């Protein structure tokens, strides 16, 4: 047992020393070129910012502003993120009427930011990876190299990154959509299961269904993290191998990540202290959605009653 512990301790120390050496090398490379690298990173994030802005301007007002779903209509709770989660749960449980036609229109508007993300943000991830590879190899670079994807390489970059995104989407659907669908489809069967098992209280059946869905979510979330690390080298593979076909890039990424996933996860986790100030600011100042002007009695926005409505109803009963 002691030799195994010694080997494990030695492996952890080796991984930590490798990460420290890698960071020292990158700091040495960026010592005199950090303004250029910062400019390249900002330019590479511009399509993502544009897609987020288009979503906020074109899609979100149609979803939360009274046309399809009124997420902040739990007025007494302030219209925060918790309210949105509660309203989403109400919609899944049948407690909220949704204007599906308006929601479909919002989905059509969502194609615009999705196109910006797929056709500009994804290929620029490859070009910025190529920029940093060239920087580490000591080649002459420029911040405008992040736009090198918009050349004859663009179809290959878009194809490889879309294939990578499709695989990640499938694994994310297994982790999130599958247990949600299982929970919704199981609701009509709960009384029959209660009858078949001769249970007095349906709470046991509901708890078992919920536990199964939560277990499914936890297991496939871990699988999704594993797959995300495995496919995370796709942009680097596309940038480092100019003749690599797009359909083979995710496969090569899996081969590159084989045997070093824990080291990659450890490298990501080592940057958490730098993210703590941002996380603290986000927790201290959560986003607030403006209250809707649509009456809560509208059939499109019928939801759970607010506490004030309950108090007025109890007063009338008395």
């Amino acid at each position: 047992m002691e030799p195994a512990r010694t080997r494990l301790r030695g492996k952890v120390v080796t991984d930590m020393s490798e990460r420290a050496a890698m960071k020292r090398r990158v700091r040495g490379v960026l010592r005199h070129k950090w303004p250029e690298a910062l400019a390249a990173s900002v330019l590479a994030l511009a399509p993502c910012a544009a897609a987020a802005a288009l979503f906020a301007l074109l899609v979100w007002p149609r979803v939360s502003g009274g046309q399809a779903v009124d997420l902040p209509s739990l007025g007494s709770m302030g219209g925060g993120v918790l309210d949105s989660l509660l309203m989403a749960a109400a919609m899944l449980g049948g407690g909220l009427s949704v204007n599906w036609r308006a929601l479909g229109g919002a989905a059509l508007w969502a194609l615009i930011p999705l196109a910006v993300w797929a056709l500009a943000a994804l290929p620029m991830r490859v070009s910025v990876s190529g920029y940093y590879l060239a920087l580490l190899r000591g080649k002459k670079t420029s911040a405008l190299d992040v736009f090198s994807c918009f050349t004859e390489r663009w179809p290959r970059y878009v194809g490889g990154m879309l294939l990578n995104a499709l695989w990640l989407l499938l694994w994310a659907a297994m982790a999130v959509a599958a247990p949600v669908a299982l929970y919704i489809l199981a609701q009509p069967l709960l009384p029959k299961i209660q009858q078949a098992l001769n249970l007095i209280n349906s709470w046991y059946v509901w708890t078992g269904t919920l536990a199964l869905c939560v277990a499914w979510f936890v297991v496939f979330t871990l699988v999704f993290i594993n797959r995300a690390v495995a496919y995370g080298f796709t942009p680097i593979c596309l940038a480092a191998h100019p003749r690599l076909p797009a359909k083979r890039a995710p496969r090569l990424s899996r081969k590159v990540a084989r045997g070093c996933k824990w080291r990659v996860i450890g490298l990501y986790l080592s940057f958490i202290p730098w993210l703590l100030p941002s996380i603290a600011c986000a927790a201290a100042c959560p986003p607030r959605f403006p209250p809707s002007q649509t009456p809560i009695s509208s059939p499109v926005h019928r939801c759970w009653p607010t506490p004030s409505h309950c108090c007025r109803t109890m007063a009338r009963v008395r």
Side-chain angles (χ1 to χ4, degrees):
M1 190 67 181
E2 190 62 32
R5 289 182 180 176
T6 305
R7 285 196 300 271
L8 180 61
R9 193 180 299 115
K11 187 176 183 305
V12 171
V13 172
T14 302
D15 291 345
M16 292 177 65
S17 61
E18 286 181 357
R19 288 197 294 270
M22 189 185 307
K23 291 179 180 179
R24 280 197 302 270
R25 182 189 173 193
V26 173
R27 284 198 300 267
V29 171
L30 295 177
R31 182 169 299 167
H32 302 293
K33 304 199 73 174
W34 68 265
E36 178 189 302
L38 179 61
S41 301
V42 171
L43 290 175
L45 290 174
C48 294
L54 288 171
F55 183 87
L57 291 174
L58 301 177
V59 182
W60 186 250
R62 289 173 170 80
V63 174
S64 65
Q67 297 183 26
V69 182
D70 193 9
L71 293 180
S73 59
L74 292 178
S76 62
M77 297 185 66
V81 176
L82 179 60
D83 307 341
S84 303
L85 294 177
L86 289 174
M87 294 300 293
M91 184 173 64
L92 291 176
L96 177 67
S97 294
V98 180
N99 188 339
W100 292 106
R101 186 174 180 180
L103 195 60
L108 289 177
W109 280 102
L111 293 177
I112 298 177
L114 183 63
V116 173
W117 173 76
L119 302 180
L122 288 183
M124 285 188 74
R125 278 189 60 193
V126 182
S127 58
V128 77
S129 299
Y131 166 81
Y132 280 112
L133 280 175
L135 195 65
L136 288 173
R137 291 170 178 173
K139 297 181 180 179
K140 186 178 180 180
T141 57
S142 169
L144 298 179
D145 290 345
V146 297
F147 296 108
S148 63
C149 58
F150 300 109
T151 57
E152 69 278 357
R153 312 171 188 172
W154 183 79
R156 189 172 67 92
Y157 288 178
V158 172
M161 294 303 293
L162 282 179
L163 186 60
N164 175 60
L166 178 61
W167 280 111
L168 290 178
L169 180 63
L170 290 175
W171 286 110
M174 288 293 295
V176 179
V180 170
L182 176 63
Y183 180 80
I184 294 175
L185 294 175
Q187 295 306 307
L189 301 177
L190 293 184
K192 297 180 181 179
I193 297 174
Q194 180 185 357
Q195 260 185 349
L197 298 178
N198 294 324
L199 295 175
I200 301 175
N201 196 340
S202 62
W203 185 83
Y204 300 106
V205 181
W206 179 83
T207 304
T209 306
L210 184 63
L212 177 62
C213 295
V214 170
W216 183 303
F217 171 75
V218 171
V219 170
F220 277 93
T221 298
L222 296 176
V223 175
F224 172 76
I225 294 173
N226 179 279
R227 293 295 88 193
V229 174
Y231 289 115
F233 293 97
T234 300
I236 299 175
C237 293
L238 287 168
H241 302 279
R243 296 185 179 181
L244 180 70
K247 63 181 179 180
R248 291 184 55 191
R251 191 183 311 169
L252 180 60
S253 176
R254 291 200 309 267
K255 290 182 180 179
V256 171
R258 193 171 297 159
C260 63
K261 292 187 182 71
W262 283 111
R263 284 188 288 174
V264 174
I265 293 174
L267 179 64
Y268 289 156
L269 293 178
S270 67
F271 290 101
I272 286 182
W274 297 96
L275 299 176
L276 288 179
S278 301
I279 297 173
C281 291
C285 305
R288 312 292 289 182
F289 304 116
S292 172
Q293 302 300 321
T294 307
I296 198 169
S297 59
S298 171
V300 177
H301 304 283
R302 188 173 64 253
C303 65
W304 295 335
T306 59
S308 58
H309 177 73
C310 293
C311 292
R312 288 196 300 267
T313 304
M314 291 176 66
R316 284 199 299 269
V317 171
R318 289 175 182 173

